[in-house]
Amino acid sequence: MESMTNAPYLLLKARQGYRMGHGTMYDHMFLDGLEDAYEKGSTMGVFAEQCASDYHFQEKNQMILH
């Protein structure tokens, strides 16, 4: 079972050790779960809003479950 709350932060090259300089920490929840696969740096929510706008989806129609 996946848990966004328990998603770790990632440290690339940490196993080899950092000698000098800055390292970068990545948020795994954003990289693997919330980032849009088609447009790096953008969230899936932004992608959903763009689709709704492009195809003229209305929120009241999206809420109908039957």
Side-chain angles (χ1 to χ4, degrees):
M1 178 177 214
E2 294 183 19
S3 171
M4 290 182 4
T5 303
N6 295 321
Y9 288 95
L10 307 175
L11 296 169
L12 303 181
K13 301 180 185 176
R15 291 192 190 276
Q16 292 82 18
Y18 292 103
R19 298 290 181 248
M20 213 171 150
H22 299 287
T24 304
M25 183 181 293
Y26 296 94
D27 184 354
H28 189 261
M29 181 175 66
F30 180 78
L31 288 177
D32 195 41
L34 300 177
E35 186 176 32
D36 180 10
Y38 303 109
E39 189 174 333
K40 296 295 180 195
S42 182
T43 63
M44 289 189 299
V46 171
F47 178 73
E49 289 294 327
Q50 289 173 344
C51 285
S53 176
D54 291 348
Y55 294 102
H56 308 291
F57 296 143
Q58 295 178 1
E59 187 175 348
K60 65 179 182 177
N61 294 338
Q62 293 179 41
M63 295 298 186
I64 298 172
L65 299 177
H66 351 334

